[in-house]
Structures are given as C-alpha cells and as structure tokens.
Amino acid sequence: MDVSRRALDRLCSLHKSEGVQRTPLDRHLGPELRALWGIGEADRPERARAKAALQLERALAGLDPVVAAIGRGYFNTSLEPAWWALNLTARKQRLCVELGVSARTMDRRFRDEVQPALIASLRAGPAPISPDEVSARVAAERRVVAGDPVVDTGADDRIARFRRPVSPLEEALRFLREERLHALRHAGGELVVLRPDRRSAWVPVFSSRSRLREYVRSNPRFSGLPFSTTGAKLVAELLAHRTPIGVVVNPIAERAGDLGWTFTLLPEQVAAFRH
C-alpha cells in the first residue's frame, strides 16, 4: 500500500509529548493518518484516541513482550490513569524501573523494532477497528476515570452460575474461551507464576483489573507488569512451558475472603482447552 510521507512522519512522532493522550490528538495525527486509521471528523476525542490506541496495540501485539511494553509506554496507550499526564521523559523513567532496562536500550529497541513494525502495519493497510472494540475501549477508559467501581462486565455472575457446588470443567473452559483475562508479567516477559510448593505451579488470572489490583495490594509476593490476554493465548503460553502449570481464576489473598468467584484448572484440564 502506498502510504504518504506525511502519514509516516506523523506516526513516527506520535510517541512524543503525551503520546495518544495529547490534546488535540486529531491535529497531530493529520488527515492522512486519520484516514488510514479510520478516524473521521465526526469522531469525538475519546473515540479518536480509542481508535489510535487500538491500532497501535494491534501492531504491537506480535512483538516480544518487553518490546511491546516499550511501545505501549512510549505511545502512552495504557489504561492506567497514572501514565496519562506523563511526558515522554517521565514515561521512560518509569519504564526503566518497571522493565529493568536502560533508557538507551529502550530507545534502540523502539527505533529498531517498534517503529518498523508500526510502519509495516501502516503500509500493509490497517484493518478497520470494529465499533464494538472502540466502544469497549472508551467504556474501559471511562471506568478507570470513575475509579473503576465495576470493571467486570458480568464475568462474576457467569462464574457464580457454575461455581456452586462444583465447577464443571466444560463451564470453566467456556469461561476461559469467552472472557478477557488480566495477569502479570515479569520485566523479562515471563508470566508471574506462584509456586506454593515444589510440585505445583499456578498462574493467577483475574476477571477484571480491579480484582488484579486488589490482589497485588494484599499479596506482596505477587508483583509485575499488568497485561490483558485471551484464554487461547494464555493456554498456548502455558503449554509451551516444560513444567505443568495450572490456572487459578480470581484468587484472594485473605484466607477469610469470599471464594465464591474463585476456581482452578489443573494443568491437565488446561491442556483440555485445546480439544
């Protein structure tokens, strides 16, 4: 696809200042890049930002996890409000701490890996972002602005349907297929896994970012970089490990807490997800 130099220049400078959180964003994107990303003149600022962030996230999705985290930090696509007002220098400083890499290394990987991937995506012809995806992104942003009172969109109720008295495997696997999951990675890109003893390993996943944050606050051993994924991607990653790893959904750190939203999948049950 023939892409104008103006669109490429706009893309390659989008990470500066506050990234996609800058205002007015549409003026910085310019008509050429807005057209490629499906951002119309009638789109309100929050929808334009959502479309830009989703296009960037889509291009970053296939990269090494650390490189993708650098790209997200540089372009400021996080749904964590603490990032939004930070300029590029401040975001780099925070990334250095969270990823454990130097600013020079991040700049190099951004230049050598992130920007080429974005340019290739643009030249390939970006696929349209569906209205449902845009609406979901806008809704997620509004929720965190409001303090994230109920980030879950019914997942807890669906868990409750089969949680008592026993969680049928088929229902648990259906949850894994249908719900968006939230978990943590180490700075090196590996999943954060809990190992209560020598014989078992579990990856904790959560039905909402608010549940994840609550667990992190209550469990000092559990820390890392938050990310969202699908059940299929998570299972593929787990099955690539040499050692069996199970999944625990919505664990709680307090022993006296309500286990009504919690269930587990043994490693052999995780493997059944493929069938």
Side-chain angles (χ1 to χ4, degrees):
M1 179 179 181
D2 185 23
V3 178
S4 72
R5 170 50 59 182
R6 287 184 179 180
L8 291 174
D9 288 345
R10 297 282 189 174
L11 174 65
C12 290
S13 63
L14 183 56
H15 64 289
K16 297 177 180 178
S17 186
E18 289 83 27
V20 297
Q21 297 296 333
R22 72 172 70 205
T23 54
L25 177 62
D26 60 342
R27 184 183 303 171
H28 180 81
L29 294 175
E32 296 84 6
L33 187 54
R34 290 202 308 270
L36 287 167
W37 279 354
I39 300 173
E41 293 184 3
D43 281 322
R44 300 181 66 178
E46 61 180 2
R47 289 187 67 82
R49 183 170 56 249
K51 288 182 178 181
L54 289 167
Q55 289 286 5
L56 291 166
E57 291 279 359
R58 179 182 286 173
L60 295 169
L63 299 178
D64 171 88
V66 173
V67 176
I70 291 171
R72 294 186 185 102
Y74 274 44
F75 286 105
N76 207 4
T77 63
S78 172
L79 280 173
E80 296 293 337
W83 285 86
W84 293 350
L86 300 181
N87 62 24
L88 180 58
T89 299
R91 295 199 304 277
K92 285 183 182 180
Q93 291 172 345
R94 182 165 177 174
L95 283 170
C96 285
V97 174
E98 293 194 357
L99 298 179
V101 296
S102 69
R104 178 177 297 181
T105 297
M106 289 194 302
D107 282 342
R108 175 180 57 80
R109 301 199 75 174
F110 180 78
R111 181 184 65 250
D112 295 346
E113 300 178 63
V114 174
Q115 286 191 325
L118 294 172
I119 292 171
S121 172
L122 211 60
R123 286 178 170 158
I129 299 293
S130 74
D132 287 346
E133 290 177 285
V134 177
S135 297
R137 172 81 188 197
V138 169
E141 191 171 300
R142 288 177 178 174
R143 283 195 298 266
V144 296
V145 169
D148 199 11
V150 185
V151 172
D152 181 75
T153 57
D156 285 347
D157 290 337
R158 290 189 288 277
I159 292 175
R161 286 203 311 264
F162 64 83
R163 179 62 182 86
R164 300 179 180 89
V166 178
S167 304
L169 178 58
E170 284 304 313
E171 289 289 348
L173 294 177
R174 181 184 300 174
F175 175 88
L176 210 59
R177 291 187 181 98
E178 295 177 354
E179 303 297 339
R180 193 74 180 168
L181 306 174
H182 307 273
L184 295 181
R185 291 192 187 279
H186 293 293
E190 307 90 355
L191 284 169
V192 173
V193 177
L194 296 183
R195 302 180 185 276
D197 53 55
R198 294 182 180 181
R199 295 176 297 175
S200 61
W202 302 88
V203 57
V205 299
F206 299 83
S207 58
S208 69
R209 278 293 182 95
S210 60
R211 288 190 179 277
L212 170 58
R213 287 196 294 268
E214 181 181 348
Y215 189 77
V216 169
R217 284 195 298 266
S218 302
N219 190 346
R221 296 182 304 155
F222 191 66
S223 62
L225 304 174
F227 74 101
S228 299
T229 187
T230 64
K233 290 181 179 179
L234 177 69
V235 168
E237 190 167 350
L238 293 179
L239 295 181
H241 281 256
R242 293 182 178 179
T243 56
I245 300 177
V247 173
V248 54
V249 177
N250 288 337
I252 57 173
E254 300 84 3
R255 293 188 177 185
D258 181 10
L259 291 172
W261 314 120
T262 302
F263 69 88
T264 59
L265 285 169
L266 299 172
E268 56 268 29
Q269 294 172 328
V270 171
F273 180 92
R274 296 184 301 181
H275 304 299

